[in-house]
Amino acid sequence: MINVSFGPNIFLGIIVSIGVLILYFLRNVKPEVARDEDIFFATIGFLYSCILMVHGWRLDPILLFSQVLIIITVLVAGWENIRLRGLIANMAKVKNKKKS
């Protein structure tokens, strides 16, 4: 049974989809920061967001709260990971500049 109605599950699914699209298009914006496994995680995240949007109406309040906490944790950890990748890329660029 597929029952799609607008609720907090759609909002969470859209947030995850936006985060996944940012991760996916990072390869076009900053290729020195992107990694090959980002495509895998983007695909899994997109699948997760679709499942959350379609079947999220079944979530009772405590399960919805747990999904909110998981999504916040994953997005913050992903943001920090990408930021650290950028710092490492900048450090490597400065090191190569000093070397030559």
Side-chain angles (χ1 to χ4, degrees):
M1 179 174 151
I2 296 178
N3 183 12
V4 179
S5 62
F6 188 77
N9 60 326
I10 300 292
F11 182 66
L12 288 175
I14 290 171
I15 288 174
V16 172
S17 296
I18 290 171
V20 163
L21 286 174
I22 289 171
L23 180 64
Y24 184 74
F25 288 117
L26 184 67
R27 185 171 303 278
N28 294 336
V29 178
K30 288 193 173 190
E32 67 274 1
V33 177
R35 299 224 174 119
D36 291 337
E37 57 266 6
D38 289 346
I39 295 173
F40 172 74
F41 290 119
T43 305
I44 296 297
F46 185 67
L47 181 66
Y48 171 72
S49 68
C50 290
I51 291 171
L52 189 62
M53 284 191 263
V54 172
H55 293 289
W57 62 273
R58 297 180 183 186
L59 295 175
D60 60 342
I62 194 71
L63 287 176
L64 183 65
F65 182 64
S66 70
Q67 291 299 310
V68 169
L69 293 178
I70 288 170
I71 289 170
I72 289 171
T73 304
V74 166
L75 290 178
V76 168
W79 177 262
E80 176 124 7
N81 187 3
I82 291 171
R83 192 176 63 83
L84 289 174
R85 287 183 194 177
L87 289 174
I88 291 171
N90 285 340
M91 287 174 54
K93 191 185 301 182
V94 168
K95 191 174 184 180
N96 287 339
K97 196 174 187 181
K98 284 183 181 179
K99 193 184 250 187
S100 56

PDB file of all heavy atoms in Angstrom, residues 40-78:
ATOM      1  N   PHE A  40      28.309   6.282  -4.312  1.00  0.00           N
ATOM      2  CA  PHE A  40      27.637   5.191  -3.602  1.00  0.00           C
ATOM      3  C   PHE A  40      26.780   5.741  -2.461  1.00  0.00           C
ATOM      4  O   PHE A  40      25.612   5.375  -2.310  1.00  0.00           O
ATOM      5  CB  PHE A  40      28.676   4.199  -3.063  1.00  0.00           C
ATOM      6  CG  PHE A  40      28.100   3.162  -2.154  1.00  0.00           C
ATOM      7  CD1 PHE A  40      27.354   2.120  -2.672  1.00  0.00           C
ATOM      8  CD2 PHE A  40      28.303   3.230  -0.789  1.00  0.00           C
ATOM      9  CE1 PHE A  40      26.809   1.162  -1.833  1.00  0.00           C
ATOM     10  CE2 PHE A  40      27.767   2.284   0.052  1.00  0.00           C
ATOM     11  CZ  PHE A  40      27.020   1.240  -0.470  1.00  0.00           C
ATOM     12  N   PHE A  41      27.352   6.630  -1.647  1.00  0.00           N
ATOM     13  CA  PHE A  41      26.606   7.182  -0.520  1.00  0.00           C
ATOM     14  C   PHE A  41      25.457   8.066  -0.985  1.00  0.00           C
ATOM     15  O   PHE A  41      24.408   8.128  -0.338  1.00  0.00           O
ATOM     16  CB  PHE A  41      27.531   7.943   0.422  1.00  0.00           C
ATOM     17  CG  PHE A  41      28.459   7.044   1.176  1.00  0.00           C
ATOM     18  CD1 PHE A  41      29.827   7.161   1.039  1.00  0.00           C
ATOM     19  CD2 PHE A  41      27.966   6.063   2.011  1.00  0.00           C
ATOM     20  CE1 PHE A  41      30.678   6.324   1.723  1.00  0.00           C
ATOM     21  CE2 PHE A  41      28.812   5.224   2.712  1.00  0.00           C
ATOM     22  CZ  PHE A  41      30.178   5.356   2.563  1.00  0.00           C
ATOM     23  N   ALA A  42      25.637   8.754  -2.104  1.00  0.00           N
ATOM     24  CA  ALA A  42      24.547   9.557  -2.651  1.00  0.00           C
ATOM     25  C   ALA A  42      23.398   8.672  -3.114  1.00  0.00           C
ATOM     26  O   ALA A  42      22.219   8.995  -2.901  1.00  0.00           O
ATOM     27  CB  ALA A  42      25.054  10.420  -3.802  1.00  0.00           C
ATOM     28  N   THR A  43      23.712   7.558  -3.736  1.00  0.00           N
ATOM     29  CA  THR A  43      22.664   6.630  -4.178  1.00  0.00           C
ATOM     30  C   THR A  43      21.912   6.040  -2.995  1.00  0.00           C
ATOM     31  O   THR A  43      20.679   5.974  -3.003  1.00  0.00           O
ATOM     32  CB  THR A  43      23.292   5.504  -5.020  1.00  0.00           C
ATOM     33  OG1 THR A  43      24.025   6.090  -6.091  1.00  0.00           O
ATOM     34  CG2 THR A  43      22.236   4.581  -5.570  1.00  0.00           C
ATOM     35  N   ILE A  44      22.639   5.614  -1.974  1.00  0.00           N
ATOM     36  CA  ILE A  44      22.004   5.061  -0.777  1.00  0.00           C
ATOM     37  C   ILE A  44      21.151   6.128  -0.085  1.00  0.00           C
ATOM     38  O   ILE A  44      20.036   5.851   0.368  1.00  0.00           O
ATOM     39  CB  ILE A  44      23.069   4.500   0.185  1.00  0.00           C
ATOM     40  CG1 ILE A  44      23.811   3.339  -0.450  1.00  0.00           C
ATOM     41  CG2 ILE A  44      22.450   4.083   1.516  1.00  0.00           C
ATOM     42  CD1 ILE A  44      22.941   2.152  -0.768  1.00  0.00           C
ATOM     43  N   GLY A  45      21.648   7.350   0.000  1.00  0.00           N
ATOM     44  CA  GLY A  45      20.888   8.432   0.623  1.00  0.00           C
ATOM     45  C   GLY A  45      19.629   8.775  -0.158  1.00  0.00           C
ATOM     46  O   GLY A  45      18.575   9.068   0.434  1.00  0.00           O
ATOM     47  N   PHE A  46      19.723   8.743  -1.477  1.00  0.00           N
ATOM     48  CA  PHE A  46      18.545   9.021  -2.290  1.00  0.00           C
ATOM     49  C   PHE A  46      17.493   7.932  -2.126  1.00  0.00           C
ATOM     50  O   PHE A  46      16.297   8.211  -2.024  1.00  0.00           O
ATOM     51  CB  PHE A  46      18.935   9.173  -3.761  1.00  0.00           C
ATOM     52  CG  PHE A  46      17.794   9.585  -4.639  1.00  0.00           C
ATOM     53  CD1 PHE A  46      17.229  10.844  -4.506  1.00  0.00           C
ATOM     54  CD2 PHE A  46      17.284   8.729  -5.582  1.00  0.00           C
ATOM     55  CE1 PHE A  46      16.168  11.228  -5.304  1.00  0.00           C
ATOM     56  CE2 PHE A  46      16.225   9.095  -6.380  1.00  0.00           C
ATOM     57  CZ  PHE A  46      15.658  10.351  -6.242  1.00  0.00           C
ATOM     58  N   LEU A  47      17.927   6.680  -2.068  1.00  0.00           N
ATOM     59  CA  LEU A  47      17.017   5.564  -1.816  1.00  0.00           C
ATOM     60  C   LEU A  47      16.361   5.700  -0.445  1.00  0.00           C
ATOM     61  O   LEU A  47      15.153   5.498  -0.294  1.00  0.00           O
ATOM     62  CB  LEU A  47      17.778   4.238  -1.935  1.00  0.00           C
ATOM     63  CG  LEU A  47      16.981   2.967  -1.731  1.00  0.00           C
ATOM     64  CD1 LEU A  47      15.954   2.816  -2.851  1.00  0.00           C
ATOM     65  CD2 LEU A  47      17.910   1.773  -1.698  1.00  0.00           C
ATOM     66  N   TYR A  48      17.147   6.083   0.547  1.00  0.00           N
ATOM     67  CA  TYR A  48      16.627   6.288   1.906  1.00  0.00           C
ATOM     68  C   TYR A  48      15.577   7.408   1.930  1.00  0.00           C
ATOM     69  O   TYR A  48      14.542   7.274   2.570  1.00  0.00           O
ATOM     70  CB  TYR A  48      17.785   6.609   2.850  1.00  0.00           C
ATOM     71  CG  TYR A  48      17.367   7.058   4.218  1.00  0.00           C
ATOM     72  CD1 TYR A  48      16.829   6.161   5.124  1.00  0.00           C
ATOM     73  CD2 TYR A  48      17.519   8.381   4.614  1.00  0.00           C
ATOM     74  CE1 TYR A  48      16.451   6.564   6.375  1.00  0.00           C
ATOM     75  CE2 TYR A  48      17.145   8.794   5.862  1.00  0.00           C
ATOM     76  CZ  TYR A  48      16.608   7.881   6.749  1.00  0.00           C
ATOM     77  OH  TYR A  48      16.226   8.295   7.985  1.00  0.00           O
ATOM     78  N   SER A  49      15.857   8.495   1.224  1.00  0.00           N
ATOM     79  CA  SER A  49      14.898   9.605   1.223  1.00  0.00           C
ATOM     80  C   SER A  49      13.603   9.222   0.516  1.00  0.00           C
ATOM     81  O   SER A  49      12.517   9.612   0.947  1.00  0.00           O
ATOM     82  CB  SER A  49      15.512  10.850   0.580  1.00  0.00           C
ATOM     83  OG  SER A  49      15.725  10.650  -0.797  1.00  0.00           O
ATOM     84  N   CYS A  50      13.703   8.432  -0.549  1.00  0.00           N
ATOM     85  CA  CYS A  50      12.489   7.977  -1.235  1.00  0.00           C
ATOM     86  C   CYS A  50      11.664   7.056  -0.343  1.00  0.00           C
ATOM     87  O   CYS A  50      10.432   7.183  -0.279  1.00  0.00           O
ATOM     88  CB  CYS A  50      12.848   7.262  -2.535  1.00  0.00           C
ATOM     89  SG  CYS A  50      13.489   8.352  -3.800  1.00  0.00           S
ATOM     90  N   ILE A  51      12.325   6.142   0.349  1.00  0.00           N
ATOM     91  CA  ILE A  51      11.613   5.249   1.262  1.00  0.00           C
ATOM     92  C   ILE A  51      10.979   6.053   2.389  1.00  0.00           C
ATOM     93  O   ILE A  51       9.833   5.786   2.788  1.00  0.00           O
ATOM     94  CB  ILE A  51      12.573   4.173   1.815  1.00  0.00           C
ATOM     95  CG1 ILE A  51      12.964   3.210   0.708  1.00  0.00           C
ATOM     96  CG2 ILE A  51      11.945   3.422   2.983  1.00  0.00           C
ATOM     97  CD1 ILE A  51      14.066   2.251   1.099  1.00  0.00           C
ATOM     98  N   LEU A  52      11.688   7.038   2.900  1.00  0.00           N
ATOM     99  CA  LEU A  52      11.151   7.870   3.979  1.00  0.00           C
ATOM    100  C   LEU A  52       9.931   8.665   3.523  1.00  0.00           C
ATOM    101  O   LEU A  52       8.958   8.802   4.266  1.00  0.00           O
ATOM    102  CB  LEU A  52      12.241   8.809   4.487  1.00  0.00           C
ATOM    103  CG  LEU A  52      11.942   9.609   5.744  1.00  0.00           C
ATOM    104  CD1 LEU A  52      11.697   8.668   6.917  1.00  0.00           C
ATOM    105  CD2 LEU A  52      13.093  10.535   6.052  1.00  0.00           C
ATOM    106  N   MET A  53       9.957   9.153   2.289  1.00  0.00           N
ATOM    107  CA  MET A  53       8.814   9.916   1.794  1.00  0.00           C
ATOM    108  C   MET A  53       7.601   9.033   1.526  1.00  0.00           C
ATOM    109  O   MET A  53       6.478   9.436   1.783  1.00  0.00           O
ATOM    110  CB  MET A  53       9.198  10.681   0.520  1.00  0.00           C
ATOM    111  CG  MET A  53      10.028  11.892   0.791  1.00  0.00           C
ATOM    112  SD  MET A  53      10.204  12.946  -0.628  1.00  0.00           S
ATOM    113  CE  MET A  53      11.765  12.435  -1.264  1.00  0.00           C
ATOM    114  N   VAL A  54       7.824   7.832   1.027  1.00  0.00           N
ATOM    115  CA  VAL A  54       6.700   6.965   0.667  1.00  0.00           C
ATOM    116  C   VAL A  54       6.130   6.249   1.888  1.00  0.00           C
ATOM    117  O   VAL A  54       4.915   6.183   2.071  1.00  0.00           O
ATOM    118  CB  VAL A  54       7.131   5.951  -0.415  1.00  0.00           C
ATOM    119  CG1 VAL A  54       6.044   4.928  -0.656  1.00  0.00           C
ATOM    120  CG2 VAL A  54       7.461   6.676  -1.705  1.00  0.00           C
ATOM    121  N   HIS A  55       6.993   5.730   2.754  1.00  0.00           N
ATOM    122  CA  HIS A  55       6.524   4.920   3.879  1.00  0.00           C
ATOM    123  C   HIS A  55       6.659   5.626   5.224  1.00  0.00           C
ATOM    124  O   HIS A  55       6.466   4.991   6.262  1.00  0.00           O
ATOM    125  CB  HIS A  55       7.289   3.598   3.925  1.00  0.00           C
ATOM    126  CG  HIS A  55       6.995   2.723   2.762  1.00  0.00           C
ATOM    127  ND1 HIS A  55       5.788   2.098   2.604  1.00  0.00           N
ATOM    128  CD2 HIS A  55       7.742   2.389   1.686  1.00  0.00           C
ATOM    129  CE1 HIS A  55       5.804   1.404   1.480  1.00  0.00           C
ATOM    130  NE2 HIS A  55       6.988   1.571   0.901  1.00  0.00           N
ATOM    131  N   GLY A  56       6.962   6.897   5.234  1.00  0.00           N
ATOM    132  CA  GLY A  56       7.139   7.618   6.490  1.00  0.00           C
ATOM    133  C   GLY A  56       5.857   7.886   7.236  1.00  0.00           C
ATOM    134  O   GLY A  56       5.878   8.202   8.429  1.00  0.00           O
ATOM    135  N   TRP A  57       4.721   7.740   6.586  1.00  0.00           N
ATOM    136  CA  TRP A  57       3.448   7.967   7.269  1.00  0.00           C
ATOM    137  C   TRP A  57       3.211   6.926   8.352  1.00  0.00           C
ATOM    138  O   TRP A  57       2.410   7.135   9.256  1.00  0.00           O
ATOM    139  CB  TRP A  57       2.291   7.949   6.264  1.00  0.00           C
ATOM    140  CG  TRP A  57       2.128   6.643   5.548  1.00  0.00           C
ATOM    141  CD1 TRP A  57       2.762   6.268   4.405  1.00  0.00           C
ATOM    142  CD2 TRP A  57       1.294   5.557   5.917  1.00  0.00           C
ATOM    143  NE1 TRP A  57       2.376   5.011   4.038  1.00  0.00           N
ATOM    144  CE2 TRP A  57       1.469   4.543   4.954  1.00  0.00           C
ATOM    145  CE3 TRP A  57       0.409   5.325   6.969  1.00  0.00           C
ATOM    146  CZ2 TRP A  57       0.804   3.332   5.009  1.00  0.00           C
ATOM    147  CZ3 TRP A  57      -0.254   4.123   7.019  1.00  0.00           C
ATOM    148  CH2 TRP A  57      -0.063   3.143   6.053  1.00  0.00           C
ATOM    149  N   ARG A  58       3.950   5.833   8.319  1.00  0.00           N
ATOM    150  CA  ARG A  58       3.804   4.778   9.324  1.00  0.00           C
ATOM    151  C   ARG A  58       4.562   5.081  10.610  1.00  0.00           C
ATOM    152  O   ARG A  58       4.397   4.382  11.593  1.00  0.00           O
ATOM    153  CB  ARG A  58       4.333   3.460   8.778  1.00  0.00           C
ATOM    154  CG  ARG A  58       3.596   2.949   7.598  1.00  0.00           C
ATOM    155  CD  ARG A  58       4.202   1.658   7.159  1.00  0.00           C
ATOM    156  NE  ARG A  58       3.541   1.167   5.965  1.00  0.00           N
ATOM    157  CZ  ARG A  58       3.785   0.001   5.430  1.00  0.00           C
ATOM    158  NH1 ARG A  58       4.668  -0.790   5.989  1.00  0.00           N
ATOM    159  NH2 ARG A  58       3.152  -0.380   4.352  1.00  0.00           N
ATOM    160  N   LEU A  59       5.400   6.080  10.604  1.00  0.00           N
ATOM    161  CA  LEU A  59       6.238   6.354  11.763  1.00  0.00           C
ATOM    162  C   LEU A  59       5.414   6.938  12.907  1.00  0.00           C
ATOM    163  O   LEU A  59       4.702   7.927  12.734  1.00  0.00           O
ATOM    164  CB  LEU A  59       7.350   7.338  11.396  1.00  0.00           C
ATOM    165  CG  LEU A  59       8.383   6.859  10.393  1.00  0.00           C
ATOM    166  CD1 LEU A  59       9.332   7.989  10.049  1.00  0.00           C
ATOM    167  CD2 LEU A  59       9.140   5.679  10.919  1.00  0.00           C
ATOM    168  N   ASP A  60       5.528   6.327  14.072  1.00  0.00           N
ATOM    169  CA  ASP A  60       4.915   6.932  15.251  1.00  0.00           C
ATOM    170  C   ASP A  60       5.872   8.012  15.757  1.00  0.00           C
ATOM    171  O   ASP A  60       6.997   8.137  15.271  1.00  0.00           O
ATOM    172  CB  ASP A  60       4.583   5.881  16.306  1.00  0.00           C
ATOM    173  CG  ASP A  60       5.795   5.118  16.802  1.00  0.00           C
ATOM    174  OD1 ASP A  60       6.812   5.146  16.109  1.00  0.00           O
ATOM    175  OD2 ASP A  60       5.707   4.509  17.880  1.00  0.00           O
ATOM    176  N   PRO A  61       5.468   8.849  16.702  1.00  0.00           N
ATOM    177  CA  PRO A  61       6.295  10.010  17.088  1.00  0.00           C
ATOM    178  C   PRO A  61       7.708   9.663  17.557  1.00  0.00           C
ATOM    179  O   PRO A  61       8.656  10.374  17.224  1.00  0.00           O
ATOM    180  CB  PRO A  61       5.493  10.647  18.213  1.00  0.00           C
ATOM    181  CG  PRO A  61       4.088  10.291  17.915  1.00  0.00           C
ATOM    182  CD  PRO A  61       4.142   8.921  17.319  1.00  0.00           C
ATOM    183  N   ILE A  62       7.880   8.576  18.303  1.00  0.00           N
ATOM    184  CA  ILE A  62       9.225   8.265  18.781  1.00  0.00           C
ATOM    185  C   ILE A  62      10.124   7.792  17.640  1.00  0.00           C
ATOM    186  O   ILE A  62      11.314   8.132  17.589  1.00  0.00           O
ATOM    187  CB  ILE A  62       9.180   7.243  19.944  1.00  0.00           C
ATOM    188  CG1 ILE A  62      10.524   7.170  20.659  1.00  0.00           C
ATOM    189  CG2 ILE A  62       8.772   5.875  19.465  1.00  0.00           C
ATOM    190  CD1 ILE A  62      10.834   8.359  21.469  1.00  0.00           C
ATOM    191  N   LEU A  63       9.582   7.059  16.683  1.00  0.00           N
ATOM    192  CA  LEU A  63      10.384   6.646  15.521  1.00  0.00           C
ATOM    193  C   LEU A  63      10.695   7.837  14.614  1.00  0.00           C
ATOM    194  O   LEU A  63      11.782   7.921  14.039  1.00  0.00           O
ATOM    195  CB  LEU A  63       9.661   5.566  14.730  1.00  0.00           C
ATOM    196  CG  LEU A  63       9.614   4.183  15.379  1.00  0.00           C
ATOM    197  CD1 LEU A  63       8.776   3.243  14.533  1.00  0.00           C
ATOM    198  CD2 LEU A  63      11.004   3.638  15.551  1.00  0.00           C
ATOM    199  N   LEU A  64       9.751   8.756  14.494  1.00  0.00           N
ATOM    200  CA  LEU A  64       9.999   9.967  13.714  1.00  0.00           C
ATOM    201  C   LEU A  64      11.103  10.793  14.366  1.00  0.00           C
ATOM    202  O   LEU A  64      11.993  11.308  13.686  1.00  0.00           O
ATOM    203  CB  LEU A  64       8.720  10.789  13.587  1.00  0.00           C
ATOM    204  CG  LEU A  64       8.820  12.046  12.750  1.00  0.00           C
ATOM    205  CD1 LEU A  64       9.107  11.696  11.303  1.00  0.00           C
ATOM    206  CD2 LEU A  64       7.551  12.852  12.863  1.00  0.00           C
ATOM    207  N   PHE A  65      11.072  10.894  15.687  1.00  0.00           N
ATOM    208  CA  PHE A  65      12.116  11.625  16.404  1.00  0.00           C
ATOM    209  C   PHE A  65      13.473  10.951  16.220  1.00  0.00           C
ATOM    210  O   PHE A  65      14.485  11.635  16.039  1.00  0.00           O
ATOM    211  CB  PHE A  65      11.765  11.731  17.890  1.00  0.00           C
ATOM    212  CG  PHE A  65      12.758  12.518  18.684  1.00  0.00           C
ATOM    213  CD1 PHE A  65      12.966  13.865  18.434  1.00  0.00           C
ATOM    214  CD2 PHE A  65      13.495  11.913  19.682  1.00  0.00           C
ATOM    215  CE1 PHE A  65      13.884  14.596  19.161  1.00  0.00           C
ATOM    216  CE2 PHE A  65      14.412  12.626  20.416  1.00  0.00           C
ATOM    217  CZ  PHE A  65      14.618  13.971  20.165  1.00  0.00           C
ATOM    218  N   SER A  66      13.504   9.628  16.232  1.00  0.00           N
ATOM    219  CA  SER A  66      14.773   8.938  16.014  1.00  0.00           C
ATOM    220  C   SER A  66      15.291   9.183  14.599  1.00  0.00           C
ATOM    221  O   SER A  66      16.501   9.336  14.401  1.00  0.00           O
ATOM    222  CB  SER A  66      14.634   7.437  16.291  1.00  0.00           C
ATOM    223  OG  SER A  66      13.846   6.823  15.303  1.00  0.00           O
ATOM    224  N   GLN A  67      14.403   9.247  13.613  1.00  0.00           N
ATOM    225  CA  GLN A  67      14.822   9.553  12.247  1.00  0.00           C
ATOM    226  C   GLN A  67      15.356  10.976  12.144  1.00  0.00           C
ATOM    227  O   GLN A  67      16.342  11.227  11.437  1.00  0.00           O
ATOM    228  CB  GLN A  67      13.664   9.358  11.272  1.00  0.00           C
ATOM    229  CG  GLN A  67      13.252   7.918  11.091  1.00  0.00           C
ATOM    230  CD  GLN A  67      14.355   7.067  10.532  1.00  0.00           C
ATOM    231  OE1 GLN A  67      14.968   7.405   9.541  1.00  0.00           O
ATOM    232  NE2 GLN A  67      14.619   5.953  11.184  1.00  0.00           N
ATOM    233  N   VAL A  68      14.735  11.910  12.850  1.00  0.00           N
ATOM    234  CA  VAL A  68      15.227  13.296  12.872  1.00  0.00           C
ATOM    235  C   VAL A  68      16.637  13.341  13.443  1.00  0.00           C
ATOM    236  O   VAL A  68      17.535  13.992  12.883  1.00  0.00           O
ATOM    237  CB  VAL A  68      14.265  14.208  13.677  1.00  0.00           C
ATOM    238  CG1 VAL A  68      14.890  15.560  13.934  1.00  0.00           C
ATOM    239  CG2 VAL A  68      12.950  14.366  12.960  1.00  0.00           C
ATOM    240  N   LEU A  69      16.857  12.638  14.553  1.00  0.00           N
ATOM    241  CA  LEU A  69      18.185  12.626  15.168  1.00  0.00           C
ATOM    242  C   LEU A  69      19.226  11.977  14.260  1.00  0.00           C
ATOM    243  O   LEU A  69      20.355  12.466  14.142  1.00  0.00           O
ATOM    244  CB  LEU A  69      18.138  11.907  16.514  1.00  0.00           C
ATOM    245  CG  LEU A  69      17.347  12.603  17.613  1.00  0.00           C
ATOM    246  CD1 LEU A  69      17.348  11.752  18.863  1.00  0.00           C
ATOM    247  CD2 LEU A  69      17.896  13.972  17.893  1.00  0.00           C
ATOM    248  N   ILE A  70      18.854  10.883  13.610  1.00  0.00           N
ATOM    249  CA  ILE A  70      19.789  10.208  12.704  1.00  0.00           C
ATOM    250  C   ILE A  70      20.140  11.115  11.521  1.00  0.00           C
ATOM    251  O   ILE A  70      21.309  11.231  11.141  1.00  0.00           O
ATOM    252  CB  ILE A  70      19.192   8.874  12.218  1.00  0.00           C
ATOM    253  CG1 ILE A  70      19.181   7.856  13.346  1.00  0.00           C
ATOM    254  CG2 ILE A  70      19.968   8.328  11.021  1.00  0.00           C
ATOM    255  CD1 ILE A  70      18.403   6.603  13.031  1.00  0.00           C
ATOM    256  N   ILE A  71      19.148  11.777  10.952  1.00  0.00           N
ATOM    257  CA  ILE A  71      19.390  12.646   9.792  1.00  0.00           C
ATOM    258  C   ILE A  71      20.261  13.835  10.185  1.00  0.00           C
ATOM    259  O   ILE A  71      21.199  14.191   9.457  1.00  0.00           O
ATOM    260  CB  ILE A  71      18.053  13.086   9.174  1.00  0.00           C
ATOM    261  CG1 ILE A  71      17.398  11.894   8.488  1.00  0.00           C
ATOM    262  CG2 ILE A  71      18.251  14.242   8.196  1.00  0.00           C
ATOM    263  CD1 ILE A  71      15.980  12.135   8.044  1.00  0.00           C
ATOM    264  N   ILE A  72      19.994  14.430  11.335  1.00  0.00           N
ATOM    265  CA  ILE A  72      20.821  15.553  11.791  1.00  0.00           C
ATOM    266  C   ILE A  72      22.260  15.102  12.001  1.00  0.00           C
ATOM    267  O   ILE A  72      23.213  15.769  11.580  1.00  0.00           O
ATOM    268  CB  ILE A  72      20.237  16.171  13.071  1.00  0.00           C
ATOM    269  CG1 ILE A  72      18.952  16.927  12.750  1.00  0.00           C
ATOM    270  CG2 ILE A  72      21.239  17.107  13.740  1.00  0.00           C
ATOM    271  CD1 ILE A  72      18.192  17.397  13.961  1.00  0.00           C
ATOM    272  N   THR A  73      22.435  13.938  12.628  1.00  0.00           N
ATOM    273  CA  THR A  73      23.778  13.417  12.883  1.00  0.00           C
ATOM    274  C   THR A  73      24.526  13.139  11.587  1.00  0.00           C
ATOM    275  O   THR A  73      25.706  13.504  11.443  1.00  0.00           O
ATOM    276  CB  THR A  73      23.697  12.130  13.724  1.00  0.00           C
ATOM    277  OG1 THR A  73      22.978  12.408  14.927  1.00  0.00           O
ATOM    278  CG2 THR A  73      25.061  11.594  14.046  1.00  0.00           C
ATOM    279  N   VAL A  74      23.869  12.521  10.640  1.00  0.00           N
ATOM    280  CA  VAL A  74      24.525  12.192   9.365  1.00  0.00           C
ATOM    281  C   VAL A  74      24.865  13.458   8.578  1.00  0.00           C
ATOM    282  O   VAL A  74      25.963  13.559   8.007  1.00  0.00           O
ATOM    283  CB  VAL A  74      23.629  11.242   8.543  1.00  0.00           C
ATOM    284  CG1 VAL A  74      24.097  11.143   7.112  1.00  0.00           C
ATOM    285  CG2 VAL A  74      23.589   9.871   9.184  1.00  0.00           C
ATOM    286  N   LEU A  75      23.963  14.426   8.551  1.00  0.00           N
ATOM    287  CA  LEU A  75      24.243  15.655   7.801  1.00  0.00           C
ATOM    288  C   LEU A  75      25.385  16.451   8.427  1.00  0.00           C
ATOM    289  O   LEU A  75      26.240  16.988   7.717  1.00  0.00           O
ATOM    290  CB  LEU A  75      22.982  16.507   7.691  1.00  0.00           C
ATOM    291  CG  LEU A  75      21.888  15.951   6.773  1.00  0.00           C
ATOM    292  CD1 LEU A  75      20.670  16.860   6.798  1.00  0.00           C
ATOM    293  CD2 LEU A  75      22.387  15.767   5.363  1.00  0.00           C
ATOM    294  N   VAL A  76      25.423  16.525   9.763  1.00  0.00           N
ATOM    295  CA  VAL A  76      26.515  17.248  10.425  1.00  0.00           C
ATOM    296  C   VAL A  76      27.846  16.532  10.209  1.00  0.00           C
ATOM    297  O   VAL A  76      28.866  17.172   9.919  1.00  0.00           O
ATOM    298  CB  VAL A  76      26.201  17.433  11.924  1.00  0.00           C
ATOM    299  CG1 VAL A  76      27.416  17.910  12.690  1.00  0.00           C
ATOM    300  CG2 VAL A  76      25.055  18.407  12.107  1.00  0.00           C
ATOM    301  N   ALA A  77      27.851  15.201  10.331  1.00  0.00           N
ATOM    302  CA  ALA A  77      29.085  14.446  10.109  1.00  0.00           C
ATOM    303  C   ALA A  77      29.540  14.561   8.650  1.00  0.00           C
ATOM    304  O   ALA A  77      30.748  14.682   8.373  1.00  0.00           O
ATOM    305  CB  ALA A  77      28.882  12.981  10.489  1.00  0.00           C
ATOM    306  N   GLY A  78      28.606  14.541   7.718  1.00  0.00           N
ATOM    307  CA  GLY A  78      28.948  14.706   6.302  1.00  0.00           C
ATOM    308  C   GLY A  78      29.503  16.087   6.012  1.00  0.00           C
ATOM    309  O   GLY A  78      30.471  16.236   5.254  1.00  0.00           O
TER     310      GLY A  78
END
